[in-house]
Amino acid sequence: MKVPFLELKPAYLELKDKFDAAYHRVMDSGWYLMGQELDTFEREYAAYCQTDHCAGVGSGLDALILALRAFDIGPGDEVIVPSHTFIATWLAVDQVGAVPVPVEPDPETYNIDANRIENAISPRTRAIIPVHLYGQPADMDSIMQLADQHNLVVIEDAAQAQGALYKGRKVGSLGHAAAHSFYPGKNLGGFADGGAVTTSDKAIADRVRTLRNYGSKTKYHYEEAGVNSRLDELQAAFLRVRLSHLDEWNGRRQRIAAAYGDLFNGAKSIIQPKVPNWANPVWHLYVIRVSNRDQMQTKLMESGIGTQIHYPIPTHQTRAYPQFNSVSLPIAESIAASCLSLPIGPHVEFESVIQILKKNLDLIC
Ligand SMILES: *Cc1c(COP(=O)(O)O)cnc(C)c1O
């Protein structure tokens, strides 16, 4: 028995007829960028996220960058980011010329600790980017309250959390704008890079639409210096297929997470991810913490279970951020040293994973 950490092809195979039909519809249309499929996907995804607008862009990183630019955040500004996240959250801030200011997470939920944010706010702070990490919503009411008090913009990084609920509301609708990624491995993944900004602020949506298309609203008339970052018609058509199955596929992830939870309940050496009562996570990743992480990863591999580490080096210690290398962020560092991601996804044969784990109880006790 072997269970790989992630396979992308089963998603294609399960809905092959629909993807193939979408492919032929776009190819036969003769229109490949900025057309009907994108318009329709944007409307469908905005409705799904409970926002008024959605603007498709080229990637999740671009969604963050263009959202920041749409709010005029740039040189001289500081943006609060989680210390524990995928590097893209920080890179977006850099790329608009602003400075990322890391705030440590709650080690139980892995998400930015709202209680630590106020200390990081300076006169230069313009925005907060909470990340709904691993598919679990961040503590948005506390974050929005702080943002109101200090007049800050909140841009959700929803790249890992499409469909997750916070107090019954969809992530992507909770801040002033939100960035989404359609990287193939994400809960709502396409078959190439892609991303989107959702917002209920029409001016922000219009600005992102202008920025993504060279800064033009009308062809060859430029409002400002934009970029080329567009979600193409094929991906939009594929994403419409995926979107219609997103809740069902997230449900499969939720059942796997529940099965892991049942199995680990007696296991003292495993720290399970904690779900606050206001969160309904979509389990992009199922991340446990163990003290003997590397040993456990090797043993699991030997018994047929593929795992990964998200992320092995905290962003501030990477070579991309020499200016942060000597900063101490002990919670992010301790998570990076102990976290282990187990297989989870709509096509993971989790009965096999559970069976293997049960046969190797020494692994988990
Ligand atoms: C994947 C991801 C991104 C970036 O998305 P891309 O589409 O790969 O550019 C940003 N933030 C987080 C938290 C992510 O997981």
Side-chain angles (χ1 to χ4, degrees), residues 58-62 64 85-86 88-89 131-133 157-160 180-183 186 193-195 284 311:
S59 72
L61 175 59
D62 280 355
L64 284 166
T85 181
F86 180 59
T89 317
V131 180
H132 307 303
L133 198 69
D157 181 340
Q160 301 191 356
H180 305 254
S181 164
F182 307 129
Y183 175 81
K186 299 284 158 83
D193 279 313
H284 175 59
Y311 301 90

Side-chain angles (χ1 to χ4, degrees), residues 51-362:
T51 56
D52 293 343
H53 309 281
C54 165
V57 298
S59 72
L61 175 59
D62 280 355
L64 284 166
I65 293 171
L66 297 184
L68 287 164
R69 283 192 64 182
F71 284 100
D72 288 314
I73 292 163
D77 296 333
E78 291 178 359
V79 177
I80 291 173
V81 296
S83 60
H84 178 63
T85 181
F86 180 59
I87 193 171
T89 317
W90 290 43
L91 288 177
V93 177
D94 278 307
Q95 294 202 7
V96 301
V99 175
V101 176
V103 167
E104 290 267 68
D106 170 348
E108 304 221 285
T109 64
Y110 303 112
N111 273 326
I112 193 166
D113 185 344
N115 295 319
R116 292 171 184 266
I117 292 176
E118 194 144 34
N119 268 340
I121 296 174
S122 85
R124 289 171 175 256
T125 310
R126 286 282 322 279
I128 307 172
I129 308 184
V131 180
H132 307 303
L133 198 69
Y134 305 153
Q136 166 143 280
D139 184 3
M140 288 302 292
D141 279 352
S142 309
I143 293 168
M144 294 310 290
Q145 202 184 331
L146 274 172
D148 272 354
Q149 280 163 12
H150 296 269
N151 199 19
L152 305 176
V153 170
V154 175
I155 297 170
E156 298 166 73
D157 181 340
Q160 301 191 356
Q162 294 107 341
L165 298 173
Y166 174 81
K167 298 184 183 173
R169 290 178 292 150
K170 283 267 166 60
V171 309
S173 70
L174 306 165
H176 300 107
H180 305 254
S181 164
F182 307 129
Y183 175 81
K186 299 284 158 83
N187 290 42
L188 178 61
F191 296 92
D193 279 313
V197 174
T198 53
T199 181
S200 288
D201 183 331
K202 183 171 187 308
I204 293 299
D206 285 347
R207 184 96 185 268
V208 171
R209 290 205 168 93
T210 305
L211 284 167
R212 73 178 175 190
N213 193 29
Y214 293 112
S216 86
K217 283 188 176 133
T218 314
K219 208 167 187 174
Y220 306 130
H221 291 72
Y222 305 103
E223 319 282 324
E224 61 180 315
V227 297
N228 174 358
S229 182
R230 300 177 292 218
L231 184 65
D232 64 75
E233 290 288 286
L234 267 180
Q235 293 312 315
F238 294 148
L239 286 166
R240 291 181 58 204
V241 175
R242 285 288 294 256
L243 183 58
S244 65
H245 291 264
L246 180 58
D247 288 341
E248 185 201 336
W249 288 12
N250 280 342
R252 296 183 200 170
R253 292 174 183 271
Q254 286 159 345
R255 283 193 290 282
I256 297 176
Y260 280 138
D262 288 345
L263 185 67
F264 296 150
N265 268 341
K268 281 205 187 70
S269 61
I270 292 178
I271 304 175
Q272 296 179 43
K274 186 181 156 196
V275 180
N277 58 14
W278 39 256
N280 194 359
V282 291
W283 301 105
H284 175 59
L285 296 168
Y286 187 88
V287 180
I288 57 171
R289 279 181 298 145
V290 284
S291 54
N292 57 343
R293 192 264 317 278
D294 294 348
Q295 215 182 332
M296 182 155 174
Q297 184 173 38
T298 308
K299 280 198 199 158
L300 286 172
M301 191 176 61
E302 286 165 2
S303 41
I305 300 177
T307 59
Q308 280 195 12
I309 297 167
H310 298 91
Y311 301 90
I313 305 169
T315 304
H316 67 283
Q317 292 185 334
T318 63
R319 282 158 64 185
Y321 283 98
Q323 70 275 36
F324 280 99
N325 284 179
S326 58
V327 173
S328 165
L329 293 162
I331 302 177
E333 288 159 27
S334 96
I335 293 173
S338 59
C339 66
L340 187 64
S341 307
L342 303 179
I344 196 163
H347 302 96
V348 164
E349 287 179 31
F350 80 101
E351 284 90 356
S352 307
V353 182
I354 300 291
Q355 229 175 303
I356 296 171
L357 286 172
K358 278 187 174 158
K359 261 196 222 146
N360 297 274
L361 274 180
D362 59 307

Side-chain angles (χ1 to χ4, degrees), residues 18-29 31-38 41 189-193 230-242:
K18 290 183 182 176
F19 288 128
D20 291 354
Y23 169 82
H24 288 294
R25 187 173 71 240
V26 173
M27 295 312 283
D28 284 337
S29 76
W31 192 282
Y32 308 115
L33 269 173
M34 307 291 274
Q36 279 273 300
E37 295 291 336
L38 178 63
F41 171 71
F191 296 92
D193 279 313
R230 300 177 292 218
L231 184 65
D232 64 75
E233 290 288 286
L234 267 180
Q235 293 312 315
F238 294 148
L239 286 166
R240 291 181 58 204
V241 175
R242 285 288 294 256

